[in-house]
Amino acid sequence: DQQVKQNSPSLSVQEGRISILNCDYTNSMFDYFLWYKKYPAEGPTFLISISSIKDKNEDGRFTVFLNKSAKHLSLHIVPSQPGDSAVYFCAAGPGTYKYIFGTGTRLKVLA
Amino acid sequence: EAGVAQSPRYKIIEKRQSVAFWCNPISGHATLYWYQQILGQGPKLLIQFQNNGVVDDSQLPKDRFSAERLKGVDSTLKIQPAKLEDSAVYLCASSPGLAGYNEQFFGPGTRLTVL
């Protein structure tokens, strides 16, 4: 049973436009959420996080939105750049170390 | 600041052979994690150490996998004997403390192929 789902395996966006990556979770005990970016042959790198007491967190071009009632979060990248092309993982957990990762979405930003 | 180091980067073995992976976390990080990432899936936690003690190994297949973190610094993960389904990238990560509100810093991973 997958507790964290990223239903879009891939996404292509034109440079300068908005990229929206989605993530759904099933466990209502999850209250901390993270996004990681992964380039080929490298480990995931932390991008942005959000706790359940917020519905939005912003860091430069990256914004994460959390809809607790829908158990849904999304990552917005504006404007998208070719260097953003990578696999993006969302992860969720109950505020402890044990995060469950989604299967990832491969983003391709077209120049 | 040096990142998480892992070796080897790639390993190819025959099934039923043994293999070991090494991880050196970021200096001063108390918590160390080993993840298994099978192709097309997200990372799955195998084991977590706090200093040199095991916090969680509930998803570690203990009949064939073992891990240790001697002296609370670097760590080794061993598979003995390997099966075909163990083919995956093994990621090591570290974080400053136990609390979940810390990002985890990942190493580059070891890609294991079992033939």
Side-chain angles (χ1 to χ4, degrees):
Chain A
D1 178 32
Q2 244 183 308
Q3 297 188 65
V4 179
K5 297 179 185 178
Q6 293 177 257
N7 292 319
S8 298
S10 64
L11 174 68
S12 291
V13 171
Q14 288 289 334
E15 181 180 6
R17 305 296 291 268
I18 184 171
S19 295
I20 301 176
L21 295 92
N22 294 304
C23 179
D24 297 293
Y25 62 97
T26 57
N27 191 331
S28 57
M29 297 299 291
F30 291 163
D31 69 352
Y32 198 66
F33 308 88
L34 307 96
W35 284 94
Y36 283 84
K37 178 166 78 171
K38 185 182 183 304
Y39 292 119
E42 295 182 13
T45 55
F46 172 75
L47 198 54
I48 193 169
S49 63
I50 189 167
S51 73
S52 59
I53 61 172
K54 293 186 173 183
D55 55 16
K56 177 182 172 182
N57 190 25
E58 212 169 336
D59 184 1
R61 297 185 296 113
F62 301 91
T63 303
V64 57
F65 294 92
L66 175 63
N67 182 334
K68 282 186 65 182
S69 60
K71 295 191 182 70
H72 176 82
L73 63 155
S74 59
L75 174 68
H76 293 210
I77 306 173
V78 184
S80 301
Q81 299 174 354
D84 296 330
S85 296
V87 177
Y88 290 78
F89 291 98
C90 68
T96 61
Y97 57 87
K98 197 164 184 175
Y99 293 109
I100 308 297
F101 282 77
T103 52
T105 296
R106 183 177 302 277
L107 173 66
K108 192 170 187 178
V109 180
L110 307 168
Chain B
E1 177 182 78
V4 177
Q6 289 189 248
S7 67
R9 292 296 310 274
Y10 304 93
K11 189 75 178 177
I12 300 175
I13 61 172
E14 300 276 340
K15 60 183 179 184
R16 290 188 289 274
Q17 284 187 320
S18 301
V19 65
F21 313 127
W22 175 82
C23 172
N24 192 24
I26 292 173
S27 177
H29 279 194
T31 310
L32 185 148
Y33 313 80
W34 281 104
Y35 286 87
Q36 179 192 58
Q37 186 178 11
I38 292 172
L39 187 65
Q41 299 182 19
K44 182 183 86 171
L45 180 68
L46 292 176
I47 188 168
Q48 181 199 347
F49 293 93
Q50 172 79 356
N51 297 312
N52 60 351
V54 175
V55 175
D56 186 336
D57 63 359
S58 58
Q59 297 194 94
L60 187 75
K62 298 181 189 63
D63 57 335
R64 298 185 299 107
F65 286 64
S66 64
E68 58 183 10
R69 190 183 184 196
L70 299 175
K71 300 180 184 177
V73 182
D74 56 354
S75 174
T76 55
L77 176 70
K78 295 179 182 176
I79 308 175
Q80 180 180 3
K83 292 185 175 181
L84 296 176
E85 59 261 35
D86 299 332
S87 293
V89 175
Y90 290 85
L91 293 162
C92 179
S94 69
S95 66
L98 176 64
Y101 302 107
N102 281 315
E103 64 178 279
Q104 297 178 15
F105 297 82
F106 284 84
T110 297
R111 181 177 295 279
L112 173 67
T113 302
V114 182
L115 303 175

